Amino acid sequence: MNKSSMIIRIILILAIIILFNIVGLKFFTRIDLTSDHIYTLSKASKELVKNLDDKFLVKAYFTSDLPPDYQNNRRDLRDLLDEYRAYAGGNFQYEFIDPGKKEDLEQEAQRYGIPPVQVQVLKEDKLQIEKAYMGMVFLYGDKQERVPVIQSTLNMEYEISSAVKKMTSKELKKIGFISGQGEPDLPKMSRLQEILSKQYEVLPIDLSNTKAVPEDIAVLLIIAPSQPFKSWEKFLIDQYLMKGGKIAFFVNKVNANLQTQYGQPLNVGLDDMLESYGVRINSDLVRDISCAYVTVQQQAGYMVIQNQVPFYYLPRASEFEKSSPIVKDLSSVVFFFASSVDTSLVRQKGLTPQVLVRTSNKSGRQENVFIISPTMQVTKEMFAEKGIPLVVSVEGSFASVFGNKPIGVDSTFHGILDTTKRLVTSKVTKIIVAGDGEFVQDQFSGGNKDNFLLASNMIDWLADDIGLAAIRSRESGMKPLDEVSEGTKSWLKGINLVIPPFIIILIGIIRWRMRISKRKKLEARGL
């Protein structure tokens, strides 16, 4: 009876396990223990697929016999697509296709823009290079988008949701980049442009060739101008804002030259305009203990060595306004010779400000003479300030900088400037101001992903399209350690140096005493 009961119990346990696995194939659930819930489908993604009014098809071309790391990507992608399908009410479908050695399927994948890639495979104790497919294509009506190669699924939700949004939108919002005053061209901001192109139509706006900023521009960006704006150009920008347009001002106030290691004040003629909107970018350079490092050559005897040294004028800001969806999920943003932003005029103009990014609790400013050597001597007094504003947003009804003043028109303007319908007070709208125009450029970002996430999130917020920003920011950059005092650093270094050898010595003494004790017991027994 005992044996029969045991067999019955084993069979029941196996049956329950098999039943759970069968149910798990049909209905899945996962517990997301990550701090930002990066493996849980966001509310924005759920709403997107719930509102699908036609079939949205995902074709995932994945070679079946891939190494374990790639197989994990395949499984995670399938789980993610299952979640999308569960919330779409039948309009979101997907299929996995293994091109294998089938020439027709390989040609189909390549027609969709999914190229073969080479992967290392261990077979028969030999490392071999084989051809594989790891991409997917999205099909909706007569539109298609693709992800050619899936190397990681960490931020795949954003890729899928942005494709759904782009393909289902009847018309994409337009983002305009002002040009003509020495601003960097779009190829110098290719990473930002790549992110924005997933949801928007990105185009340059040359004021010299237009009579007004086009009204269908959702957001206007003024990034790092190096030449002064003419009065009539400012008027066109001002009237765009008065009509309810949204503007991001990423403006340098100091022209820093790393070769000469000096900086000079830079005035592009926007000060009066910004002050009319309640904001002032100060003519200073912010320095911060929390900063990026640079490589410098230093003399050591007869040798020249390369050292990594902190460059205090490249602040690594990690103090964000956590209540704002623009910055709440970011880790740190590296600025390139940034100036502080003053919002003291905002309240008296009836506007609502919010400081989005600040320096750390050990920061300061350099004014008047700008010496920017990374090896310069620093003192404690140079970092006596805390929380210096670097990026701010302002909302409300703005006053025109021109009012009823005449507009200066010079020979560079071709045509007739219509000022008869000028507006002196704007509709309720919003702007963002940063005292740095380099942090969004590929060359000066230091490859820091959060720089571009910050910029794209700000544009989303200005365009009243913040939904997907929360997804985009969840897989962000480096998590900086909390700043500690020099005394704490020395104490921790001492512990790291002393404790490990002490533990090893203690273990050795314990083993030695145990051997002596064992030897005495054996001797006492006459062995």
Side-chain angles (χ1 to χ4, degrees):
M1 289 296 294
N2 290 337
K3 186 175 180 181
S4 299
S5 297
M6 182 66 68
I7 292 173
I8 291 172
R9 288 178 181 177
I10 292 173
I11 292 174
L12 285 174
I13 291 171
L14 290 174
I16 291 171
I17 293 173
I18 293 171
L19 181 62
F20 270 114
N21 277 276
I22 293 173
V23 172
L25 290 174
K26 298 294 183 181
F27 306 98
F28 70 95
T29 184
R30 292 180 294 174
I31 300 175
D32 192 345
L33 300 179
T34 58
S35 60
D36 296 327
H37 299 290
I38 61 176
Y39 298 110
T40 301
L41 206 62
S42 69
K43 182 179 178 181
S45 295
K46 294 175 185 177
E47 291 298 323
L48 270 175
V49 293
K50 280 181 182 177
N51 294 325
L52 286 173
D53 56 5
D54 200 357
K55 184 178 180 181
F56 189 98
L57 177 63
V58 181
K59 287 189 172 185
Y61 292 88
F62 257 84
T63 302
S64 59
D65 55 344
L66 290 170
D69 289 346
Y70 301 112
Q71 287 289 7
N72 290 339
N73 289 343
R74 178 191 177 104
R75 185 187 64 250
D76 291 344
L77 178 62
R78 183 183 290 274
D79 287 346
L80 182 60
L81 292 173
D82 276 335
E83 289 199 43
Y84 275 97
R85 183 169 62 182
Y87 288 103
N91 278 332
F92 187 99
Q93 298 295 327
Y94 74 86
E95 57 181 313
F96 272 76
I97 301 170
D98 177 14
K101 304 297 182 181
K102 299 178 181 178
E103 186 176 346
D104 57 333
L105 292 179
E106 289 194 52
Q107 291 178 354
E108 179 183 297
Q110 293 174 26
R111 280 199 305 271
Y112 283 129
I114 312 297
V117 294
Q118 292 183 332
V119 296
Q120 291 183 338
V121 180
L122 187 63
K123 286 186 177 179
E124 300 177 355
D125 298 327
K126 293 181 180 179
L127 196 62
Q128 303 177 9
I129 303 295
E130 292 192 359
K131 182 175 69 173
Y133 289 86
M134 298 180 296
M136 62 180 172
V137 61
F138 309 104
L139 303 173
Y140 182 78
D142 59 350
K143 301 177 182 178
Q144 69 178 52
E145 293 285 331
R146 66 180 181 276
V147 180
V149 181
I150 299 173
Q151 297 181 340
S152 170
T153 58
L154 283 179
N155 208 24
M156 190 51 61
E157 183 187 350
Y158 174 71
E159 294 289 343
I160 297 173
S161 292
S162 59
V164 172
K165 183 173 183 181
K166 183 176 182 179
M167 296 172 71
T168 56
S169 297
K170 295 180 180 179
E171 186 176 359
L172 296 179
K173 292 183 178 180
K174 297 179 180 179
I175 307 299
F177 285 70
I178 287 288
S179 63
Q181 291 73 36
E183 297 88 352
D185 52 23
L186 287 175
K188 293 181 179 178
M189 296 176 282
S190 59
R191 292 190 63 182
L192 176 60
Q193 184 181 8
E194 180 183 357
I195 294 173
L196 295 179
S197 296
K198 295 180 184 297
Q199 298 183 54
Y200 305 105
E201 182 181 349
V202 178
L203 63 159
I205 302 294
D206 188 349
L207 295 178
S208 64
N209 295 325
T210 184
K211 295 180 181 180
V213 177
E215 293 185 2
D216 61 348
I217 296 295
V219 179
L220 191 64
L221 302 180
I222 300 175
I223 300 179
S226 58
Q227 300 168 11
F229 282 80
K230 300 176 180 65
S231 179
W232 60 268
E233 292 173 329
K234 291 163 57 177
F235 176 76
L236 296 179
I237 296 171
D238 176 84
Q239 289 301 293
Y240 167 77
L241 183 68
M242 295 302 108
K243 295 174 183 177
K246 285 92 171 180
I247 307 178
F249 296 89
F250 302 160
V251 180
N252 298 320
K253 286 296 289 183
V254 176
N255 182 19
N257 190 317
L258 279 174
Q259 292 183 338
T260 62
Q261 297 188 349
Y262 284 96
Q264 293 182 334
L266 178 63
N267 184 5
V268 296
L270 295 178
D271 292 355
D272 58 342
M273 177 181 286
L274 290 175
E275 289 183 18
S276 178
Y277 306 153
V279 183
R280 180 186 297 114
I281 302 178
N282 297 317
S283 295
D284 58 20
L285 283 181
V286 172
R287 50 185 172 236
D288 200 328
I289 285 291
S290 174
C291 61
Y293 279 65
V294 294
T295 302
V296 299
Q297 290 186 343
Q298 294 180 319
Q299 192 75 32
Y302 295 103
M303 299 178 62
V304 176
I305 61 175
Q306 291 188 335
N307 277 337
Q308 287 276 318
V309 299
F311 200 172
Y312 301 113
Y313 292 101
L314 304 183
R316 183 182 289 277
S318 56
E319 297 295 325
F320 303 111
E321 176 52 60
K322 294 302 182 182
S323 66
S324 171
I326 303 174
V327 294
K328 69 181 183 68
D329 293 316
L330 300 181
S331 299
S332 65
V333 175
V334 177
F335 291 93
F336 191 85
F337 300 110
S339 298
S340 61
V341 181
D342 182 357
T343 59
S344 59
L345 300 174
V346 173
R347 296 293 184 186
Q348 66 190 53
K349 294 180 178 290
L351 302 168
T352 304
Q354 187 173 53
V355 178
L356 301 174
V357 187
R358 298 177 184 270
T359 61
S360 73
N361 290 334
K362 294 183 179 179
S363 55
R365 321 176 202 216
Q366 185 174 11
E367 300 173 309
N368 302 322
V369 179
F370 302 105
I371 302 173
I372 56 176
S373 171
T375 57
M376 66 181 292
Q377 295 296 317
V378 298
T379 62
K380 185 178 180 180
E381 290 73 23
M382 295 171 65
F383 303 94
E385 294 187 70
K386 62 180 181 180
I388 299 173
L390 298 175
V391 182
V392 302
S393 66
V394 184
E395 296 182 77
S397 179
F398 297 88
S400 171
V401 64
F402 291 95
N404 293 313
K405 296 186 296 185
I407 312 302
V409 177
D410 57 19
S411 59
T412 60
F413 181 78
H414 303 289
I416 299 175
L417 188 64
D418 184 8
T419 62
T420 58
K421 298 180 181 180
R422 76 167 72 181
L423 301 175
V424 296
T425 305
S426 79
K427 301 177 181 178
V428 175
T429 185
K430 46 194 175 182
I431 65 171
I432 284 180
V433 180
D436 179 20
E438 263 75 44
F439 78 99
V440 295
Q441 299 182 46
D442 300 346
Q443 179 183 357
F444 304 111
S445 67
N448 188 49
K449 184 176 180 179
D450 277 5
N451 282 35
F452 306 104
L453 293 179
L454 171 62
S456 51
N457 287 356
M458 289 191 291
I459 293 166
D460 286 345
W461 179 77
L462 289 170
D464 298 316
D465 198 13
I466 197 65
L468 294 186
I471 313 171
R472 182 167 53 213
S473 303
R474 288 196 294 178
E475 194 273 302
S476 56
M478 183 182 67
K479 305 285 187 184
L481 297 174
D482 293 335
E483 288 292 327
V484 296
S485 65
E486 291 298 324
T488 304
K489 290 180 182 178
S490 301
W491 183 70
L492 290 172
K493 287 179 182 177
I495 290 177
N496 288 333
L497 288 173
V498 173
I499 294 298
F502 175 77
I503 292 174
I504 292 172
I505 293 171
L506 182 62
I507 293 172
I509 292 173
I510 293 171
R511 287 176 59 86
W512 172 58
R513 295 302 302 173
M514 289 175 64
R515 287 184 177 182
I516 291 176
S517 177
K518 185 176 181 180
R519 189 184 303 120
K520 287 181 178 180
K521 288 180 180 179
L522 291 173
E523 289 175 353
R525 292 164 58 185
L527 299 175

